[in-house]
Amino acid sequence: MDAPILVAVISSAASIVVAAVAFFLTKRKEREAEWKKQKLEHYREFMDALSGTVGSDSTSEEERRWTRAANAIGLVASHRVLLALWQFQDAIARSNPNPSRKAHDEALNKLMFAIRFDLQISPADDPETFSYRLWCSGTNDPKG
């Protein structure tokens, strides 16, 4: 085979391989971005629904919305988030024989850090020194 023809064949083959690899990597990044977008939307709905249950002015409809959102994040959440969610649910359950604000706050904090970790958001603060709080209307206590 002639050298110029061999160079042309190798160049063509290399171009096709590079194009195929670039296409594959681009599609993979697009799928990852879409997956992250869906996760974020589920978590946003969950937090919005959770905010509706804070304080004494929550309704049974808001509690049902939160329950649906908590169940729905099971579709996208990591195992770490699910464990933190279950711990939070145990802490706030009406059937909890020893409800405590400290246990609630610790479980909420753990859940928030797990969600941020799942979304690959680097925490700016140490989980040991930072505490999340939910704000609610209808009360003078900003801690909810």
Side-chain angles (χ1 to χ4, degrees), residues 58-136:
S58 69
T59 66
S60 59
E61 179 54 37
E62 289 169 325
E63 291 176 10
R64 281 192 293 277
R65 180 178 174 220
W66 182 80
T67 300
R68 285 191 302 271
N71 290 336
I73 67 169
L75 296 171
V76 297
S78 68
H79 186 70
R80 179 178 178 174
V81 171
L82 293 176
L83 291 175
L85 173 62
W86 297 332
Q87 183 181 3
F88 180 70
Q89 288 173 325
D90 289 343
I92 65 169
R94 289 188 178 117
S95 61
N96 182 349
N98 300 313
S100 119
R101 182 172 188 116
K102 182 180 181 198
H104 167 277
D105 291 349
E106 288 174 355
L108 175 63
N109 209 42
K110 184 175 179 182
L111 176 59
M112 292 303 299
F113 274 102
I115 288 171
R116 290 176 62 86
F117 183 82
D118 195 31
L119 291 172
Q120 299 171 343
I121 300 170
S122 300
D125 299 283
D126 180 8
E128 301 296 320
T129 62
F130 187 81
S131 181
Y132 285 95
R133 291 200 174 110
L134 297 178
W135 295 84
C136 66

